[in-house]
Amino acid sequence: MLAIARQRMLGQSFKKILPAVSVLRSYSSAAKQITVREALNSALDEEMLADPKVFLMGEEVGEYQGAYKITKGLLEKYGPERVLDTPITEAGFTGIGVGAAYYGLKPVVEFMTFNFSMQAIDHIINSAAKSNYMSAGQISVPIVFRGPNGAAAGVGAQHSQCYAAWYASCPGLKVLSPYNSEDARGLLKAAIRDPDPVVFLENELLYGESFPVSDEVLDSSFCLPIGKAKIEREGKDATITAFSKMVGYALKVSEMLEKDGICAEVINLRSIRPLDRATINASVRKTNRLITVEEGFPQHGVGAEICASVVEESFSYLDAPVERIAGADVPMPYAANLERMAVPQVEDIVRAAKRACYRSVPLAATA
């Protein structure tokens, strides 16, 4: 019922949200366009075909084809032994998945939303993340926990949290967050092939968005390295870091700033843990300014960690205070107007970038 209600709300709100995330992007020559949903589905299909140890489990992943149709067609192709519909018990099926990974299988566990992973956090943190260390390397746990993360549209405080910082604070886990179709395909393949547990944070508002991809991305051997960020747009005046849906916002901001003579560099983090500190610091040393963007809470957030890294390694290169743009430090409101105020908007990032470049108009001048 939750999935059906959410899909209806998305249908009503997506047209309003789409312009903010559908922005001009620079890619190499693209063979075709595919949606993020199709990219994830094809990655699962190809990895299941290549390795019989890979199997899927979660609520509605089989007969219903997935709550967001990410697993469409896979039950028919691989059968119920490799695409397992589970009861509504995250703690139960996540524990089974971790046990299967101990045994040498490669489970891909879907959460209908990562908010529900809180029911299973003991298995993720205390069992999956720590077993390799506690066994002195004798036990590997090749498991992927995937599903939509962060705010959707009108789903309230209990279904709108970003878990990037939560899981990235735990040693033993790798945390990935794709933005476009290339990210989704390459990172999910890397996650499934990795011998360690991976938390794979998607965004349901991006599932239906199409992105251009090259022939290389569509090749079955394509895989992206874990722990490596991508410079989506090069610049010289300010560095903007973002992940997931906020990358689209950052790219839109870079276009708007260009009209004011500010050339911003946009970094798509892709990997939250491990964090590509080298790429971030190299960019800041070139631009001398930093703006971090995320949907999650500001305190102890991903942006806070990035700022700390830059202050520790590149402080002498900074020509302005670092700027953090994050979600409001409150539970997510349900009302649409208040929800919009609680998550970062394009204009918030523009103002921060202009402050960093000393282009903002003083409040006294506007009085």
Side-chain angles (χ1 to χ4, degrees), residues 28-160:
S28 58
S29 58
K32 62 180 294 188
Q33 291 214 0
I34 63 173
T35 65
V36 171
R37 176 182 289 107
E38 292 168 336
L40 293 168
N41 178 269
S42 64
L44 290 171
D45 186 8
E46 291 170 7
E47 293 306 301
M48 292 181 75
L49 183 64
D51 189 345
K53 293 181 179 180
V54 178
F55 72 96
L56 315 181
M57 63 190 306
E59 297 155 0
E60 300 181 342
V61 299
E63 294 288 347
Y64 190 68
Q65 310 278 318
Y68 301 98
K69 301 299 178 275
I70 304 301
T71 54
K72 184 178 180 180
L74 299 182
L75 173 63
E76 182 180 1
K77 186 171 183 178
Y78 297 102
E81 290 187 353
R82 295 186 64 192
V83 183
L84 285 73
D85 280 322
T86 67
I88 305 175
T89 169
E90 282 77 14
F93 65 73
T94 304
I96 292 172
V98 173
Y102 284 169
Y103 190 72
L105 300 178
K106 297 182 178 180
V108 179
V109 177
E110 176 178 308
F111 295 119
M112 196 177 290
T113 162
F114 252 92
N115 297 272
F116 299 161
S117 75
M118 295 299 286
Q119 298 287 333
I121 199 165
D122 179 59
H123 296 297
I124 299 171
I125 300 296
N126 284 324
S127 297
K130 298 176 182 176
S131 291
N132 185 264
Y133 170 79
M134 295 182 71
S135 68
Q138 296 180 79
I139 300 175
S140 62
V141 191
I143 187 170
V144 177
F145 307 102
R146 55 153 297 270
N149 170 71
V155 294
Q158 293 174 315
H159 301 86
S160 300

Side-chain angles (χ1 to χ4, degrees), residues 145-227:
F145 307 102
R146 55 153 297 270
N149 170 71
V155 294
Q158 293 174 315
H159 301 86
S160 300
Q161 296 166 115
C162 175
Y163 286 89
W166 292 55
Y167 286 117
S169 67
C170 181
L173 288 178
K174 295 176 181 176
V175 181
L176 307 179
S177 188
Y179 162 55
N180 55 27
S181 301
E182 176 182 323
D183 291 354
R185 256 184 73 82
L187 292 176
L188 185 53
K189 282 175 165 286
I192 294 172
R193 297 174 188 180
D194 199 271
D196 297 313
V198 179
V199 172
F200 198 84
L201 304 173
E202 302 153 11
N203 186 288
E204 74 177 82
L205 296 178
L206 291 176
Y207 282 150
E209 187 172 356
S210 296
F211 294 88
V213 292
S214 65
D215 291 335
E216 178 190 4
V217 173
L218 295 174
D219 191 275
S220 61
S221 63
F222 178 72
C223 188
L224 287 173
I226 292 176

Side-chain angles (χ1 to χ4, degrees), residues 9 13 152-156 160 333-336 339:
M9 285 185 282
S13 61
V155 294
S160 300
Y334 174 76
E339 182 183 60

Side-chain angles (χ1 to χ4, degrees), residues 292-304:
T292 69
V293 186
E294 63 187 310
E295 283 189 278
F297 300 128
Q299 186 161 322
H300 310 304
V302 175

Side-chain angles (χ1 to χ4, degrees), residues 231-240 254 257-267 280-291 317-320 353 356-357 359:
I231 297 177
E232 295 282 353
R233 177 173 177 149
E234 294 192 358
K236 61 182 178 62
D237 297 322
T239 297
I240 304 176
S254 68
L257 292 173
E258 194 170 32
K259 298 175 183 177
D260 293 323
I262 299 173
C263 184
E265 183 151 291
V266 176
I267 297 179
I280 296 168
N281 278 277
S283 177
V284 171
R285 292 183 181 198
K286 177 177 66 173
T287 68
N288 311 116
R289 292 169 175 84
L290 171 67
I291 302 97
Y317 290 85
L318 288 171
D319 287 343
C357 294
R359 301 288 187 89

